[in-house]
Amino acid sequence: MAPTAGAEHVLDRDEMDPGVRALLRRKAEKVAAHATYSPIDTADVENLLRDFFADESPRSTVRDVQRMGGGASKEQFLFSLDDAPYVLRLDPIETAAETDRRREFEVLNTYSTWVPAPRAIWLDESGSRLGQPAMIMNFVAGVTKPTAPATGPNVTGLGTSFPQDLRAKLAPQFVHTLADLHRVDWRELDLPSFHAPAPGTTQAALWQVNWMSRVWRDDHVQDSPVVAVVDRWLRRHLPVCESPVMVHGDYRTGNFLFDESTGRITAILDWEWAHLGDHHEDLGWMTQRLYMTHQGGTDLVCGLLERDELIEAYERDSGRKVDRATLRWYEIYNAYKSMAITLATSVKAARDGANHQDALLSWLGPAGYRFATELCAMLEEEG
């Protein structure tokens, strides 16, 4: 892949999505002011919810509050409001992925009309009412992986295998839903917190590199020469994005729910990374080796379909072309992003006692070395 011609701006590390710049500034202020974080008690959550709904819906009754498992970023609680189930997502001080609750709220409210997703209903952006920045959305039933026999490790989405009949049902929906997401014209929607990179330029790619470069710079606990080499390569080979789309940012197995009896996908989850950018970014995320499953002598993307199968199905369903060189750039970028999340932010949050999932975040840390190894191999292939 040849270096981007005339890209004098590639070293401008301050050129960034304005919303992300504000998010990173808030994060720095929050981290500087924090003490050690303790998980919030379920009884305290119940009291906060009762006070919240005393204003929002005075005649409603909060009951059956319980902590939900999983997640390396948010504290999540299931509760009933007048017998209807809802999910509360609360921000700890630091997370594996620092993101914006308002953006997540907006994208869920808008895109749940177009793709299967929970609907966000209440938002406490500052945390002034629920103690921490928070969002409440409706509960959607489903599982993230087959329940029997147990498959894959405990962290959902890594090494997940599906029986052939279930895979045949899920794979087409998985691809078609992503195509639907990218097909929606975001310009016609109410998304005031989102900022679009200029079409026909390399700005979409540069914004992403600058985001992760800043995350690594702020959060790393140990220097890595790999990061410097990869950062330089990415900047020299920025691809052009002709037409920005809504990028999910974490589209993979483990982040969708399905009904096991029918094989129907019921919801796409974890929209916190959503932003406007290049459609290749979502494809480059799911095709990382971490989300591959080796099954029956074949490597399956997210345990569902072969890489070439995925690309052909996506092109057919979306009407968009997949440029292999651009896809490769985003595969390298996403490995860089994953290295920053695991080896920098997760390790720092665990070290500083700033998250309720310190054991899981510590477990994620060594995965960063796997991404570093893969980055070295991919760059060697690029020459």
Side-chain angles (χ1 to χ4, degrees):
M1 187 186 296
T4 304
E8 294 85 359
H9 66 301
V10 297
L11 294 179
D12 183 358
R13 296 177 181 272
D14 292 326
E15 184 175 338
M16 194 179 296
D17 179 333
V20 171
R21 182 184 292 110
L23 166 72
L24 295 176
R25 183 182 65 250
R26 291 196 301 270
K27 174 188 173 182
E29 293 170 352
K30 181 174 62 173
V31 170
H34 97 278
T36 301
Y37 182 76
S38 297
I40 189 168
D41 185 80
T42 302
D44 291 335
V45 172
E46 185 166 351
N47 289 331
L48 286 167
L49 286 171
R50 285 177 174 166
D51 289 344
F52 181 84
F53 285 108
D55 294 330
E56 294 292 329
S57 184
R59 296 183 180 180
S60 297
T61 302
V62 174
R63 58 168 63 91
D64 302 327
V65 179
Q66 54 186 293
R67 182 179 291 275
M68 298 180 71
S73 55
K74 307 294 177 287
E75 287 199 76
Q76 299 191 122
F77 296 85
L78 178 65
F79 69 96
S80 294
L81 186 68
D82 293 339
D83 299 323
Y86 293 91
V87 174
L88 167 68
R89 283 167 60 82
L90 287 165
D91 285 9
I93 296 168
E94 290 188 76
T95 75
E98 188 71 22
T99 51
D100 190 321
R101 293 292 64 70
R102 176 161 291 281
R103 277 194 173 188
E104 187 179 14
F105 183 82
E106 288 177 6
V107 77
L108 280 173
N109 266 332
T110 304
Y111 279 83
S112 58
T113 303
W114 302 92
V115 299
R119 183 167 179 80
I121 304 170
W122 292 280
L123 173 69
D124 181 9
E125 185 177 8
S126 66
S128 61
R129 302 174 67 191
L130 290 166
Q132 299 151 227
M135 181 180 67
I136 297 172
M137 55 191 179
N138 69 301
F139 172 79
V140 181
V143 296
T144 56
K145 63 181 179 179
T147 54
T151 58
N154 290 331
V155 178
T156 305
L158 308 188
T160 302
S161 297
F162 297 93
Q164 186 173 353
D165 60 336
L166 185 56
R167 189 168 73 242
K169 295 176 182 177
L170 291 175
Q173 298 174 73
F174 180 69
V175 177
H176 189 75
T177 301
L178 182 64
D180 280 347
L181 169 62
H182 292 170
R183 188 182 296 113
V184 174
D185 186 356
W186 53 268
R187 298 167 187 82
E188 303 297 324
L189 305 179
D190 184 22
L191 297 164
S193 297
F194 286 80
H195 304 271
T201 73
T202 59
Q203 192 175 56
L206 181 60
W207 279 6
Q208 295 308 303
V209 175
N210 281 346
W211 186 354
M212 285 306 113
S213 176
R214 170 73 178 276
V215 167
W216 178 268
R217 188 166 70 251
D218 288 353
D219 293 348
H220 76 281
V221 297
Q222 182 176 344
D223 290 334
S224 169
V226 174
V227 168
V229 172
V230 172
D231 185 87
R232 181 170 179 266
W233 185 92
L234 289 168
R235 292 176 187 280
R236 292 186 65 228
H237 298 84
L238 295 170
V240 170
C241 174
E242 296 295 347
S243 178
V245 303
M246 180 60 73
V247 175
H248 180 277
D250 196 7
Y251 196 87
R252 60 177 174 85
T253 294
N255 280 347
F256 68 82
L257 296 173
F258 62 94
D259 183 295
E260 212 166 358
S261 63
T262 63
R264 181 178 65 88
I265 290 179
T266 57
I268 306 299
L269 305 176
D270 287 357
W271 291 75
E272 56 192 342
W273 282 106
H275 61 275
L276 296 171
D278 195 312
H279 64 278
H280 292 87
E281 186 178 343
D282 275 332
L283 296 169
W285 180 259
M286 69 176 72
T287 54
Q288 290 185 91
R289 291 189 62 82
L290 185 69
Y291 303 130
M292 290 282 188
T293 299
H294 190 73
Q295 192 170 344
T298 304
D299 286 329
L300 300 176
V301 175
C302 294
L304 292 172
L305 66 177
E306 295 181 46
R307 189 176 187 274
D308 287 343
E309 246 188 314
L310 165 70
I311 294 171
E312 291 170 8
Y314 175 81
E315 288 184 327
R316 182 178 60 249
D317 284 1
S318 69
R320 295 177 180 272
K321 296 299 295 181
V322 175
D323 181 270
R324 300 304 177 108
T326 301
L327 177 59
R328 186 60 166 174
W329 189 93
Y330 275 103
E331 287 175 327
I332 293 171
Y333 162 74
N334 279 314
Y336 174 45
K337 174 180 174 179
S338 297
M339 185 176 173
I341 292 170
T342 54
L343 197 55
T345 309
S346 293
V347 171
K348 180 178 181 293
R351 182 200 66 184
D352 295 346
N355 187 282
H356 63 297
Q357 290 272 40
D358 54 344
L360 175 58
L361 295 180
S362 298
W363 180 87
L364 285 174
Y369 295 106
R370 175 175 175 177
F371 291 115
T373 301
E374 291 177 1
L375 283 165
C376 290
M378 287 190 285
L379 289 189
E380 187 175 2
E381 290 174 4
E382 293 299 310

